[in-house]
Amino acid sequence: MYNSIIVKYGEIGVKGKNRYIFENKLIKNIKNMLKPIDKFNVYKEYGRVYVDLGDYEYDEICEEVKKVFGVVGVCPAVKVLRNNEEDVEAAYTQLKETALVVLEEKIANGAKSFKVESRRGDKSFRLTSQDMSIDIGGYLLSKVGDKIKVDINKPEVKIKCELRESNVVVYSDTVAGYGGLPIGTNGKAMSLLSGGIDSPVATWMVAKRGMEVEAIHFHTYPFTSEKSQEKVKDLARILAKYVGKVRLHKINLLEIQKAVGLNCRDEEMTIISRRFMMRIAERVGIQRNCDALITGESIGQVASQTIQGLTCTNASVSLPVFRPLIAMDKTEIIDIAKKIDTFETSIIPEEDCCSVFAPKKPVTKPRLEKIEDSEKALDVEQLIQDAIDNMEVEVIEF
């Protein structure tokens, strides 16, 4: 029955003269999301975005379209084109008959009450939108009898009818989307992506605000296995479903952590290693035209994420650092990880570069001046450059 999907967007609608840029990017992203299934006709009409379903079932396509950032809802709809020679009265009759088909489906699924909401897009029609709702409601009741009742205040089902100059549209259900802004409308950021639960969620959340993302992963092979790197690639592949291709930069931190272990206090290993990661991520990010860094840090979650630890890591870079999880509880983060399908991969047990060389008693309230003094024993610039020179890069697709 349903032959089209109405794509509803939120913030895009208030973008003024730049609105078309966001709409065009949204259409492109929807097409890319659906590309693994087939090529679909996605287009703008009357200030809305539509997807023609062709031979596909609406539930499968709705499930994919709702994942596109910028989409706040998707509505399976019946859309009937008007004949150029057809007068408005004939089109209105078609609208009422289509509304009846949709209502009968709802009755078959157990609905007990309904109301009609109408929009008169064709201003040549004699009835107002409100009058259309009353008239269509009466027509529907005359056809379905006592199978369902009208409830204006709290209906189980809303039958939404639109009379347009080129078509008539009827829809009822709305499947909630993730919202946000279309990818590619707000610059680019470099995400420090580990194999844990937090950083994939942080990456997803920043991308939801319209930022393109690249990722950088730190490992200490052979002290960490190749499986741990494969795990991160799997996470990047899941994220690619939402954010498009992910350019993954892989950095071996082993020589840096050896140097830190030999020349600095043991309890400072974690915080100094973290400062190196941030510096390297910034250096690579600037080369890749990134405007910010992304981390999955949350206040107090681990030793390096105390406010003093975050202050020390912030001081190592000049790019803005986005921490979307900063005030979230672990349970909140896990809920999002499950929703975006990264959780089951994240909890696969594999060691990361931080856990391998983690000190028994890491400093929890580091003082920046003491950390900077400890780093004087290291050739910081050379260690950073050597790590970048040996960097491996891979483009991950869903």
Side-chain angles (χ1 to χ4, degrees), residues 290-307:
C290 292
D291 307 296
L293 304 178
I294 305 169
T295 78
E297 292 162 312
S298 173
I299 293 176
Q301 188 171 159
V302 295
S304 64
Q305 293 176 23
T306 60
I307 187 61

Side-chain angles (χ1 to χ4, degrees), residues 39 82 107 238 240 267 291 377:
K39 186 177 181 180
R82 289 175 58 177
I107 293 172
I238 295 169
E267 65 270 20
D291 307 296

Side-chain angles (χ1 to χ4, degrees), residues 198 266-275 296-313 323 326 330 354-355 357-367 371:
D198 301 337
D266 181 64
E267 65 270 20
E268 296 174 340
M269 168 65 81
T270 301
I271 197 69
I272 292 178
S273 295
R274 189 69 182 170
R275 281 167 58 85
E297 292 162 312
S298 173
I299 293 176
Q301 188 171 159
V302 295
S304 64
Q305 293 176 23
T306 60
I307 187 61
Q308 295 87 352
L310 295 175
T311 299
C312 285
T313 54
R323 295 182 172 96
I326 195 67
K330 196 67 175 184
C354 294
S355 61
F357 292 95
K360 291 181 179 180
K361 292 184 178 181
V363 59
T364 57
K365 295 183 179 180
R367 291 170 52 191
I371 297 299

Side-chain angles (χ1 to χ4, degrees), residues 119-299:
R119 292 181 67 178
R120 184 187 65 165
D122 186 341
K123 300 305 180 184
S124 69
F125 188 50
R126 57 185 168 80
L127 298 179
T128 65
S129 295
Q130 185 175 355
D131 289 337
M132 283 174 58
S133 295
I134 295 169
D135 184 60
I136 295 171
Y139 168 81
L140 294 176
L141 280 176
S142 72
K143 295 296 183 181
V144 299
D146 58 359
K147 295 178 183 177
I148 193 169
K149 65 179 182 179
V150 172
D151 186 340
I152 299 299
N153 297 316
K154 293 183 179 180
E156 290 183 37
V157 168
K158 293 180 181 179
I159 304 297
K160 301 181 181 183
C161 304
E162 300 184 359
L163 179 65
R164 301 289 189 177
E165 292 179 357
S166 60
N167 56 57
V168 297
V169 179
V170 179
Y171 63 100
S172 179
D173 300 324
T174 299
V175 179
Y178 292 143
L181 292 169
I183 289 287
T185 57
N186 264 330
K188 183 163 68 169
M190 180 66 71
S191 175
L192 281 75
L193 185 65
S194 72
I197 296 170
D198 301 337
S199 59
V201 173
T203 305
W204 182 87
M205 290 182 69
V206 172
K208 183 181 169 185
R209 298 305 306 159
M211 294 200 80
E212 292 182 49
V213 294
E214 295 194 7
I216 188 165
H217 172 64
F218 296 92
H219 63 90
T220 51
Y221 181 82
F223 285 86
T224 51
S225 68
E226 289 185 355
K227 285 185 178 180
S228 68
Q229 294 182 55
E230 288 298 320
K231 176 183 173 181
V232 172
K233 287 168 60 176
D234 289 340
L235 289 170
R237 193 169 291 110
I238 295 169
L239 288 171
K241 178 71 172 177
Y242 303 96
V243 308
K245 296 177 182 177
V246 176
R247 187 181 177 91
L248 179 63
H249 308 260
K250 293 177 286 186
I251 298 282
N252 194 325
L253 208 65
L254 181 57
E255 294 305 317
I256 290 174
Q257 292 197 317
K258 283 181 179 178
V260 174
L262 288 171
N263 296 283
C264 303
R265 289 181 284 272
D266 181 64
E267 65 270 20
E268 296 174 340
M269 168 65 81
T270 301
I271 197 69
I272 292 178
S273 295
R274 189 69 182 170
R275 281 167 58 85
F276 269 99
M277 292 181 201
M278 298 290 279
R279 289 181 178 117
I280 293 169
E282 179 181 57
R283 197 78 57 90
V284 176
I286 290 172
Q287 291 173 2
R288 295 293 304 162
N289 299 314
C290 292
D291 307 296
L293 304 178
I294 305 169
T295 78
E297 292 162 312
S298 173
I299 293 176

Side-chain angles (χ1 to χ4, degrees), residues 63 65 117 207 240 254 296 298 333 344 398:
E63 186 64 27
V65 175
E117 295 180 352
L254 181 57
S298 173
I333 299 168
E344 293 300 329
F398 178 74

Side-chain angles (χ1 to χ4, degrees), residues 2-16:
Y2 297 106
N3 60 3
S4 184
I5 289 175
I6 300 171
V7 179
K8 293 185 175 181
Y9 50 72
E11 292 178 62
I12 294 173
V14 296
K15 291 301 179 182

